Amino acid sequence: MSLIRSLGYLRVEATDVPAWREFGVKVLGMTEGRGPDPSAAYLRMDDLPARIVVVPGDRDRLAASGWELADPTAFARLLSALEEAGVAAKPAAPDELADRRVAQMISVDDPSGNRLEFFCGASLDTRPALSAYGTRFVTGEQGMGHVVLPAFDDAAALRFWVDVLGFRLRDSMRLIPETIGLPPSEHPLWMRFLGCGPRHHSVALAPIPAPSGLVHLMTETETIDDVGRAIDRCARHKAPMISTLGRHANDHMISFYVRTPSGFDIEYGTGGLTVDDHTWVARHTTAHSVWGHRFAAGGGH
């Protein structure tokens, strides 16, 4: 069982924070939150102060994904597991803890150079996160959704995420290099879907080049109407939809993809599969989607 419960937050560096603020509120239907940095955008989905924090930067990139642990005991056990594996963990300074609004935090880089922050003791915001469009996000024990991170050494990535962090392999998908912009290869390329809680997967690892450091973030809403209204808002605000509506073969999510101001995509969906590790059997998915998800050139995954 993983010590990590769920994906907690994303920290994004952006060249245009106001564009992100408008995108998050008017397209995604999130609620603007408050925070210690007046130059940052804080986007809420639930009772956490922010699930996406966008700070000004010289370029557009994922600064870190934040992963939540249940309590200080789990946090100490994770520290021990990282130390035993020879993974360098950097303790958070007091100003970082205040900025994240958490009790404890460390940061590490995975074998692909993805910055991960592990935390426990998150503060809550007592003000209701009421979307202007009535959007309700599926979070709770499932966390804020899932991320797809670039990873080019399959064996090293699986060793770290599964053996050290305790994630469970839920599915694999064989990728054709030419379809993801890579040269033809005799060696199979695998996309790995890993879970740490009831959500089918909280992270997927794929050998997909991503200039921003993130292939996509998935956020889930409670109803198909939430998704449909978001499609309408994309048209109204000229947000670039990268795919048509579709249903994924492995996690059953009905979703579409839209490009963020930072160049990575958001998968916006509903109806995702939850699993029980006691009965789940990891399989090899041969199809990306049951239907739909027709991607524009250069989009998706």
Side-chain angles (χ1 to χ4, degrees):
M1 196 65 182
S2 178
L3 294 169
I4 294 144
R5 288 299 184 89
S6 65
L7 177 65
Y9 59 75
L10 289 194
R11 290 185 67 82
V12 177
E13 284 183 11
T15 53
D16 191 343
V17 175
W20 251 106
R21 190 176 284 113
E22 180 165 338
F23 176 80
V25 173
K26 294 189 175 176
V27 176
L28 301 180
M30 294 181 181
T31 308
E32 188 173 358
R34 297 177 296 203
D37 183 352
S39 65
Y42 296 91
L43 297 172
R44 296 183 63 198
M45 299 167 65
D46 54 14
D47 56 0
L48 262 71
R51 289 290 193 172
I52 302 177
V53 178
V54 186
V55 298
D58 297 332
R59 63 191 184 97
D60 290 288
R61 71 182 190 99
L62 174 66
S65 54
W67 298 87
E68 185 163 23
L69 289 92
D71 51 37
T73 303
F75 190 83
R77 286 169 61 198
L78 177 65
L79 266 175
S80 297
L82 290 166
E83 193 176 321
E84 198 175 309
V87 177
K90 182 187 167 209
D95 61 328
E96 290 178 303
L97 294 176
D99 188 51
R100 271 61 162 185
R101 291 175 277 191
V102 298
Q104 290 178 280
M105 188 192 95
I106 55 169
S107 57
V108 307
D109 289 343
D110 81 351
S112 305
N114 299 303
R115 174 56 56 98
L116 313 174
E117 295 181 351
F118 299 105
F119 70 92
C120 67
S123 302
L124 297 180
D125 190 329
T126 52
R127 299 173 308 141
L130 298 176
S131 166
Y133 307 99
T135 306
R136 296 176 68 90
F137 292 96
V138 176
T139 57
E141 64 175 357
Q142 296 192 54
M144 73 174 290
H146 73 238
V147 283
V148 179
L149 299 173
F152 293 90
D153 184 334
D154 186 54
L158 283 176
R159 266 196 311 273
F160 177 77
W161 286 87
V162 175
D163 298 345
V164 180
L165 298 184
F167 279 68
R168 299 290 297 270
L169 179 66
R170 298 268 170 80
D171 266 312
S172 297
M173 187 185 296
R174 187 167 176 163
L175 301 175
I176 299 166
E178 297 93 315
T179 63
I180 57 173
L182 296 175
S185 170
E186 295 174 9
H187 303 290
L189 294 179
W190 291 99
M191 187 168 182
R192 306 293 190 180
F193 298 86
L194 307 174
C196 58
R199 191 180 287 286
H200 175 273
H201 59 282
S202 292
V203 63
L205 305 168
I208 298 171
S212 66
L214 177 62
V215 180
H216 76 246
L217 162 71
M218 186 285 300
T219 59
E220 183 178 359
T221 59
E222 288 190 356
T223 71
I224 191 69
D225 289 338
D226 290 326
V227 176
R229 290 189 188 105
I231 290 173
D232 286 349
R233 293 195 300 273
C234 285
R236 198 155 62 239
H237 296 285
K238 298 182 171 50
M241 278 181 61
I242 302 303
S243 84
T244 59
L245 195 68
R247 186 195 279 275
H248 280 306
N250 62 352
D251 70 353
H252 303 174
M253 188 77 67
I254 298 175
S255 61
F256 70 94
Y257 290 71
V258 58
R259 184 135 297 167
T260 67
S262 287
F264 61 82
D265 296 337
I266 298 255
E267 179 188 357
Y268 198 99
T270 192
L273 186 66
T274 57
V275 304
D276 178 351
D277 274 321
H278 293 101
T279 56
W280 183 257
V281 177
R283 298 272 166 80
H284 170 192
T285 308
T286 55
H288 182 264
S289 299
V290 179
W291 53 265
H293 284 145
R294 290 186 299 280
F295 286 95
H301 310 297

